[in-house]
Amino acid sequence: ILDIAKLDEGNLSLLNANFSLGSMLDPLVEQAGEEASKKSIGFEYTTDATVPDSLCGDADRLGQVLGNLLKNALKFTEKGTVRFAVEADGKHILFKVRDTGTGIRPKDIDSIFKAFSQTDIHFDRKLQGAGLGLPICRSLVELMGGSISVDSVYGEGSLFTVAIPIV
């Protein structure tokens, strides 16, 4: 809640420090793999060889965004696989989180990025959250000069893509 308040007021600043992408991602990938194993679902992680390891930015906030996307994918996937891919297109690093979970109805896509918004109130209550994770993710990614998008088919799964400029 503190993050969303700071973001709303424009008072959240990002660190600008050198960091190793691999070192930042390792604990996220390990934790996601453990969670997937507990649920007896698959977890796949790939990094394209063109992705630079040495970056400049806010590793903690990037980790917060990616951790949230991975947790959501794992939470909404009861069978199948969660895939996490890191790619580069020359200008951006692309972080892709794909799941075979519940998916999102087309009418709900825009609302998932609004604070305190919930989708499909008839859905299993144990999977509901406060509705702050994705709005915070979008705001943080935009502060980093990037973008976040989602493609989803209800009942089949979702793909969240975060594009962050390479610095």
Side-chain angles (χ1 to χ4, degrees), residues 25-141:
L25 291 175
D26 285 345
L28 293 175
V29 169
E30 183 177 334
Q31 184 177 14
E34 289 171 4
E35 284 300 312
S37 181
K38 287 178 189 174
K39 290 184 72 172
S40 298
I41 61 173
F43 178 72
E44 298 173 5
Y45 168 62
T46 58
T47 301
D48 189 74
T50 61
V51 175
D53 185 62
S54 181
L55 297 174
C56 187
D58 194 326
D60 290 339
R61 292 299 184 169
L62 180 57
Q64 178 182 348
V65 168
L66 299 175
N68 184 279
L69 294 178
L70 288 167
K71 286 176 189 171
N72 282 352
L74 290 161
K75 177 168 66 170
F76 290 104
T77 301
E78 291 299 321
K79 61 182 178 181
T81 304
V82 171
R83 292 177 177 86
F84 179 37
V86 184
E87 304 168 358
D89 68 3
K91 294 181 181 181
H92 299 90
I93 297 179
L94 306 172
F95 301 93
K96 298 181 178 183
V97 178
R98 180 183 300 276
D99 65 61
T100 56
T102 59
I104 305 164
R105 293 176 188 205
K107 68 181 182 84
D108 293 329
I109 293 285
D110 290 335
S111 69
I112 64 171
F113 292 106
K114 293 179 182 167
F116 303 108
S117 178
Q118 297 288 325
T119 62
D120 198 0
I121 60 172
H122 302 296
F123 201 81
D124 190 343
R125 287 283 180 204
K126 71 179 181 176
L127 298 179
Q128 297 297 315
L132 291 175
L134 290 175
I136 290 171
C137 287
R138 173 173 268 175
S139 294
L140 289 173
V141 167

